[in-house]
C-alpha cells in the first residue's frame, strides 16, 4: 500500500522542548516538502528537498530544521526557537518539484 | 517574493448553484496546480495546468490558465454537497532563485447548502 505516512496524528509538548515530526514515503519520490497550516489559512512552505542530502528553506524556515539522509524520510524538528509552533503540519512528496504533490494525513502539534 | 492571491475567501451556495474561485500570481508561473482539502483532511491534487490559455475539464469542474500565465480559475457547475471543502491554487514560479517552490493561495472555503 503506497503513500505517505506521518506520525503521530496528534502531538502535545511543553514550551521550550524540541519536537520531531516524522514523514515517510514509499512512492519513490525524489522531492519532499513540509508545510504549516494555521486555521483558516493556506499552506506555508517550511522546507523542501529536491533530492537526498539536499534541502532548501521555504518561506517560514526560522525555528525549524530538517534532514534528508534517506530518500524515503524527511523528518522535521520544531525547535524551541519557533515562537508559535502550535499548528497543523503537512508533509508532501512528488516525483520532481514540477509535479503534483501527494500529502500525508498531517500532524496536529499543540505546544503549551 | 512570489505571492499568490486567491478570492473569494469564503463562498456559500445552494446546492445546484455554480461556484468560481480565482487565483492571481504576482509573477509569471511555470505551472499552476489545484488542490481540494475536505474538512479535517489533507489537500488532494485535482489538476495541473501548464500551457498559456489552457482549459481542462473534469466532469463538473473547469480549470483555466490565463494567457499571461499569471492567473487561473476553477469553476464548478451545479454544486453538490460532496463539493464542500477548501480549494487551493498553487503556483510554481517560472525560473528565478525560487525554483521548485510551490506557493499556495489562501484557499476558498466552499459551503454547499442542501
Amino acid at each position: 500500500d503506497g503513500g505517505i505516512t506521518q506520525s503521530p496524528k496528534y502531538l502535545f509538548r511543553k514550551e521550550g522542548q524540541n519536537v520531531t515530526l516524522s514523514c515517510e514515503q514509499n512512492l519513490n519520490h525524489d522531492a519532499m516538502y513540509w508545510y504549516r497550516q494555521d486555521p483558516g489559512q493556506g499552506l506555508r512552505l517550511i522546507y523542501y528537498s529536491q533530492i537526498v542530502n539536499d534541502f532548501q528553506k521555504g518561506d517560514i524556515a526560522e525555528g525549524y530544521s530538517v534532514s534528508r539522509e534517506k530518500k524515503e524520510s524527511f523528518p522535521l524538528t520544531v525547535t524551541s526557537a519557533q515562537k508559535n509552533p502550535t499548528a497543523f503540519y503537512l508533509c508532501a512528496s512528488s516525483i520532481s518539484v514540477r509535479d503534483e504533490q501527494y500529502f500525508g494525513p498531517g500532524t496536529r502539534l499543540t505546544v503549551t | 517574493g512570489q505571492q499568490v492571491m486567491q478570492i473569494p475567501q469564503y463562498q456559500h451556495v445552494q446546492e445546484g448553484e455554480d461556484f468560481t474561485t480565482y487565483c492571481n500570481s504576482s509573477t509569471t508561473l511555470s505551472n499552476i496546480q489545484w488542490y481540494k482539502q475536505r474538512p479535517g483532511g489533507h489537500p488532494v491534487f485535482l489538476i495541473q495546468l501548464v500551457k498559456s490559455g489552457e482549459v481542462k475539464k473534469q466532469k463538473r469542474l473547469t480549470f483555466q490558465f490565463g494567457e499571461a500565465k499569471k492567473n487561473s480559475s476553477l469553476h464548478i457547475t451545479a454544486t453538490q454537497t460532496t463539493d464542500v471543502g477548501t480549494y487551493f491554487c498553487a503556483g510554481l514560479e517560472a525560473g528565478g532563485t525560487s525554483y521548485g517552490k510551490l506557493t499556495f493561495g489562501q484557499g476558498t472555503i466552499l459551503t454547499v447548502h442542501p
Side-chain angles (χ1 to χ4, degrees):
Chain A
D1 189 22
I4 302 177
T5 56
Q6 290 185 245
S7 59
K9 189 172 183 179
Y10 298 95
L11 190 54
F12 298 88
R13 280 292 182 271
K14 293 289 187 186
E15 203 172 297
Q17 293 179 334
N18 290 357
V19 59
T20 298
L21 310 185
S22 165
C23 177
E24 303 279 331
Q25 55 98 359
N26 60 5
L27 300 168
N28 200 32
H29 286 171
D30 281 322
M32 295 188 74
Y33 314 79
W34 274 105
Y35 294 92
R36 169 181 172 139
Q37 187 174 34
D38 293 286
Q41 296 195 27
L43 282 67
R44 291 185 290 168
L45 183 65
I46 304 173
Y47 270 98
Y48 67 107
S49 167
Q50 298 189 48
I51 200 164
V52 175
N53 292 320
D54 184 56
F55 50 83
Q56 289 83 39
K57 292 182 179 180
D59 297 314
I60 55 166
E62 186 175 347
Y64 299 98
S65 66
V66 293
S67 63
R68 185 86 187 278
E69 297 174 2
K70 296 189 298 182
K71 188 174 187 177
E72 312 79 50
S73 178
F74 191 40
L76 173 75
T77 297
V78 184
T79 74
S80 55
Q82 168 49 232
K83 293 188 182 351
N84 297 297
T86 295
F88 186 46
Y89 290 89
L90 286 157
C91 177
S93 72
S94 61
I95 296 172
S96 79
V97 292
R98 298 186 59 82
D99 295 296
E100 68 268 26
Q101 296 183 12
Y102 294 80
F103 284 81
T107 292
R108 200 166 294 277
L109 173 65
T110 302
V111 176
T112 57
Chain B
Q2 180 194 24
Q3 291 188 327
V4 175
M5 305 299 292
Q6 195 174 347
I7 57 169
Q9 188 174 0
Y10 302 94
Q11 187 74 59
H12 303 269
V13 300
Q14 288 293 131
E15 191 172 17
E17 291 182 340
D18 292 357
F19 158 76
T20 305
T21 175
Y22 300 91
C23 187
N24 286 286
S25 170
S26 58
T27 60
T28 303
L29 300 172
S30 174
N31 70 45
I32 194 155
Q33 301 171 15
W34 285 90
Y35 292 81
K36 177 183 178 181
Q37 185 176 21
R38 293 183 187 275
H42 58 273
V44 174
F45 173 77
L46 293 175
I47 209 159
Q48 176 172 279
L49 304 171
V50 179
K51 298 176 185 175
S52 169
E54 190 170 13
V55 177
K56 286 189 176 180
K57 293 191 176 185
Q58 288 180 350
K59 297 183 181 177
R60 294 179 295 104
L61 278 62
T62 302
F63 303 85
Q64 292 187 317
F65 201 10
E67 293 292 338
K69 299 184 75 172
K70 294 181 74 174
N71 58 72
S72 181
S73 65
L74 158 60
H75 179 82
I76 302 179
T77 303
T79 54
Q80 300 175 358
T81 54
T82 53
D83 295 325
V84 163
T86 302
Y87 292 85
F88 293 101
C89 63
L92 187 69
E93 195 167 351
T97 57
S98 300
Y99 180 72
K101 191 164 79 72
L102 196 65
T103 301
F104 279 77
Q106 304 95 311
T108 295
I109 300 172
L110 173 64
T111 305
V112 180
H113 301 283

